[in-house]
C-alpha cells in the first residue's frame, strides 16, 4: 500500500496532533464539534469609534453583539453597520464578528440627483427609493419644488441606517454616499409621484439608477493579517474587485491545509452583469468560495453577501445541517429577505443555466415578484481547462468539513495519550497496556472512523457507507513509526435537483 501523504506534514515532523486534509473532487472525473462563527468585512465611517483592522465580536476586548454596537463602532449607515444589520435581521444564533478595512487612499464618494418640479396643484406624495427601501414625503397644493425637496431631504437624512445623505438646492436633491470608494457606485435610487399625474409635481429619475463617481478600491491585506490565526467559518466580504476576493480566498485555502487546520468559506455577492461576475468566479474557481448573483438588485452586494451568509449559518447550525437550498425563499422561509429588482429585470432561464455552469449561485425572480435561491453552489467548476462539477454542490463542502471536525475531535478524545502498535497477526495476542497505557493499532483507528461514517450515513449526510468503509485505508506509516495514516473516500449525499416526468396521452 502506498504511503498516505498530507500536504506540509513531513515524515520527520514530530509535533503531536490530529491532522486532516480534505481533497475535493478526487478520483476519476465522472455539524460537528467545530466552531462555525461568521465574519463580516467592510468599511467604517469616521463617525464610528472603532478602528480599522481590529476584530470586534462577542468575546473581543470591545464587544459587538448588537446593531447598536455596530453603529457605535462603525458609524450609522456605514458599510459594516448595514452588513451587521442585514445579518442580525436573519440570524441571531451564529456568533458574529466584524472587521473594518480602511477606505482606499483618496477615495471619493458617489452621488446622484433627484430633480423635483412644481408647484403642486393638488396634494400628493413623493416616494423616494434608496437601495431596497423607500420613504414617503407628502405635499399640498401650492408647495414649490424647493419646499417638496427640502421635506424629502429631511426624511432621507432621518434614516440613519441608509447609506446616503441628502441636500437640496432649488428643488434638486443631491444624494451622496456615506462610504467612499468604488463599491459606493452600487447604491441605487429613483423616485415617483403618487398619484402618477395631476398633482403638478414632477420628478426624475423615475427608474432605478446607480449613483456614480465613487473611485478607488480598498486594500484587504492588513485585515487578512489580523484574522489569519482565527477560524471564521462563514466569511462575507464587501469586496467586489477580483484582487481583494482572490487575496482573501487564497488565505482561506492556505489556512485549510493540515498544519494550519483552519477550514473556512467565503460568501461573496454580485449585482453586476453575469459576464463580469463569471470573470471574477473564474479567478476563484474553488470549493471554499461562493458567489451569489442577482443582476440589478437594489440590495448592495456587500449586504447581499451578509444576508446569504446569515441564512447559510442559521440553517447549518443544527446537526444534521440543512443540505439542500434549492428554491430557498419560495416557501415559508421568513428569513429570506431579498427583494426583486425594482427595475423589473430578472434572470432568464438561459442565464440561470449559464450561471450554474460557471460557478455562480443565481437568485431567481418569480412573476409574483418573489425571489428565491435557485441552487447553492461553489465557484469550483473547472479542473484546469476541463469542466469538472464534482464539487459544484456547496453542501458537499459542509459535509466534508463537519466530518473532518468530528473525526479530529473524536480522535483527540479517544486516542490521545495512547501507545501505537501494529495490528496483531493471526493467533497473536492483542497488545494491552494495562490500566496505565492504552495501546492503539490501525484496526482500532479504523473502527473509530467507520463508526463516524455510519453515524453520518444515518443522519443522511453520506451515501454508500459500506463502500466508504470498504475503501477507507488505515496504515501505520512506513517512514514515521509514530504516525497512523488514514484515507477516507467520503461520499456526501446528493441533493434532489430535478424530477423529469414524461406524460403520454394514449387514449
Amino acid at each position: 500500500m502506498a504511503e498516505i501523504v498530507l500536504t506540509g506534514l513531513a515524515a520527520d515532523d514530530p509535533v503531536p496532533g490530529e491532522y486532516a486534509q480534505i481533497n475535493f473532487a478526487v478520483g476519476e472525473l465522472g455539524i460537528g464539534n467545530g466552531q462555525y462563527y461568521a465574519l463580516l468585512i467592510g468599511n467604517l465611517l469616521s463617525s464610528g469609534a472603532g478602528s480599522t483592522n481590529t476584530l470586534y465580536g462577542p468575546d473581543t476586548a470591545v464587544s459587538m453583539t448588537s446593531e447598536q454596537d455596530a453603529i457605535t463602532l462603525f458609524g450609522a449607515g456605514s458599510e459594516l453597520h448595514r452588513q451587521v444589520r442585514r445579518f442580525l435581521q436573519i440570524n441571531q444564533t451564529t456568533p458574529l464578528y466584524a472587521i473594518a478595512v480602511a477606505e482606499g487612499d483618496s477615495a471619493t464618494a458617489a452621488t446622484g440627483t433627484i430633480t423635483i418640479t412644481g408647484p403642486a396643484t393638488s396634494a400628493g406624495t413623493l416616494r423616494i427609493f434608496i437601495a431596497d427601501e423607500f420613504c414617503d414625503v407628502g405635499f399640498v397644493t401650492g408647495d414649490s419644488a424647493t419646499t417638496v425637496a427640502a421635506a424629502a431631504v429631511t426624511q432621507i437624512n432621518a434614516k440613519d441606517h441608509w447609506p446616503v445623505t441628502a441636500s437640496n438646492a432649488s428643488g434638486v436633491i443631491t444624494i451622496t454616499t456615506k462610504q467612499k470608494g468604488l463599491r459606493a457606485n452600487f447604491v441605487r435610487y429613483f423616485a415617483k409621484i403618487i398619484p402618477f399625474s395631476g398633482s403638478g409635481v414632477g420628478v426624475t429619475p423615475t427608474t432605478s439608477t446607480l449613483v456614480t463617481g465613487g473611485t478607488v478600491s480598498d486594500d484587504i491585506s492588513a485585515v487578512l493579517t489580523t484574522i489569519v490565526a482565527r477560524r471564521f467559518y462563514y466569511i462575507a466580504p464587501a469586496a467586489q474587485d477580483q484582487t481583494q476576493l482572490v487575496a482573501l480566498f487564497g488565505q482561506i485555502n492556505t489556512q485549510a491545509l493540515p498544519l494550519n487546520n483552519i477550514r473556512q468559506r467565503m460568501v461573496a455577492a454580485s449585482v453586476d452583469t453575469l459576464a463580469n461576475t463569471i470573470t471574477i468566479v473564474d479567478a476563484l474557481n474553488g470549493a471554499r468560495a461562493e458567489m451569489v448573483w442577482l443582476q440589478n438588485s437594489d440590495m448592495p452586494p456587500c449586504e447581499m453577501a451578509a444576508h446569504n451568509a446569515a441564512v447559510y449559518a442559521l440553517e447549518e447550525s443544527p446537526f444534521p445541517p440543512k443540505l439542500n437550498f434549492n428554491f430557498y425563499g419560495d416557501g415559508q422561509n421568513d428569513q429570506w429577505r431579498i427583494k426583486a429588482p425594482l427595475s423589473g429585470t430578472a434572470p432568464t432561464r438561459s442565464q440561470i443555466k449559464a450561471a450554474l455552469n460557471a460557478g455562480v449561485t443565481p437568485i431567481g425572480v418569480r412573476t409574483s415578484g418573489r425571489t428565491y435561491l435557485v441552487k447553492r453552489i461553489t465557484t469550483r467548476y473547472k479542473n484546469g481547462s476541463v469542466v469538472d462539477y464534482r464539487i459544484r454542490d456547496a453542501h458537499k463542502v459542509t459535509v466534508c468539513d463537519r466530518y473532518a471536525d468530528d473525526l479530529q475531535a473524536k480522535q483527540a478524545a479517544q486516542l490521545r495519550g495512547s501507545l501505537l502498535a501494529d495490528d496483531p497477526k493471526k493467533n497473536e495476542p492483542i497488545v494491552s497496556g494495562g490500566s496505565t497505557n492504552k495501546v492503539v493499532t490501525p484496526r482500532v483507528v479504523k473502527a473509530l472512523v467507520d463508526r463516524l461514517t455510519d453515524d453520518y450515513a444515518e443522519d443522511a449526510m453520506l451515501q454508500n457507507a459500506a463502500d466508504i468503509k470498504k475503501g477507507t485505508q488505515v496504515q501505520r506509516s512506513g517512514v514515521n513509526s509514530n504516525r497512523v495514516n488514514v484515507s477516507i473516500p467520503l461520499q456526501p449525499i446528493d441533493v434532489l435537483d430535478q424530477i423529469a416526468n414524461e406524460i403520454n396521452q394514449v387514449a
Side-chain angles (χ1 to χ4, degrees), residues 57 118 133 140 226 455 487:
E133 299 183 68
V140 297
T226 301
D455 289 344
S487 177

Side-chain angles (χ1 to χ4, degrees), residues 90-362:
I90 296 167
N91 183 346
Q92 298 186 29
T93 300
T94 303
L96 177 64
Y97 294 77
I99 188 167
V101 56
E103 292 176 338
D105 293 339
S106 302
T108 60
T111 61
T113 57
I114 299 172
T115 302
I116 311 295
T117 58
T121 56
S122 65
T125 300
L126 168 65
R127 176 166 291 179
I128 295 180
F129 295 83
I130 302 292
D132 60 347
E133 299 183 68
F134 66 86
C135 65
D136 285 340
V137 181
F139 55 84
V140 297
T141 301
D143 280 352
S144 67
T146 300
T147 299
V148 176
V153 166
T154 299
Q155 287 271 35
I156 293 171
N157 290 335
K159 303 284 187 180
D160 288 344
H161 69 280
W162 278 14
V164 301
T165 59
S167 61
N168 167 41
S170 303
V172 177
I173 300 170
T174 298
I175 59 172
T176 304
T177 59
K178 294 178 179 178
Q179 213 75 73
K180 300 175 182 177
L182 280 172
R183 290 196 298 274
N185 296 323
F186 285 108
V187 175
R188 290 183 170 273
Y189 72 99
F190 70 100
K192 63 181 181 180
I193 302 297
I194 304 172
F196 296 109
S197 62
S199 66
V201 177
V203 63
T204 56
T206 56
T207 57
S208 183
T209 304
L210 287 170
V211 295
T212 59
T215 60
V216 183
S217 183
D218 48 24
D219 185 352
I220 203 173
S221 56
V223 164
L224 297 183
T225 300
T226 301
I227 67 173
V228 67
R230 292 285 299 264
R231 183 190 189 189
F232 301 101
Y233 192 67
Y234 305 95
I235 301 178
Q240 288 296 290
D241 61 291
Q242 180 174 309
T243 300
Q244 305 305 313
L245 292 175
V246 168
L248 172 58
F249 186 52
Q251 178 162 300
I252 288 173
N253 279 335
T254 298
Q255 292 304 92
L257 294 175
L259 297 191
N260 297 323
N261 201 36
I262 300 177
R263 289 178 287 275
Q264 305 170 108
R265 303 166 83 172
M266 180 178 80
V267 180
S270 172
V271 299
D272 205 344
T273 65
L274 180 57
N276 289 343
T277 304
I278 290 175
T279 296
I280 295 176
V281 167
D282 278 343
L284 298 172
N285 190 39
R288 296 193 174 278
E290 299 175 37
M291 179 65 77
V292 184
W293 169 73
L294 177 57
Q295 185 172 339
N296 297 329
S297 173
D298 300 279
M299 179 184 288
C302 63
E303 297 173 45
M304 186 180 293
H307 171 282
N308 276 57
V311 168
Y312 301 157
L314 181 66
E315 295 289 6
E316 291 183 339
S317 59
F319 190 89
K322 181 178 181 63
L323 302 181
N324 191 339
F325 285 85
N326 291 0
F327 303 108
Y328 192 91
D330 246 353
Q332 301 301 314
N333 304 121
D334 293 336
Q335 55 270 31
W336 182 259
R337 302 188 180 188
I338 295 178
K339 300 175 183 177
L342 292 171
S343 63
T345 59
T348 64
R349 190 184 189 283
S350 62
Q351 286 179 312
I352 289 173
K353 179 181 177 182
L356 291 172
N357 284 335
V360 177
T361 297

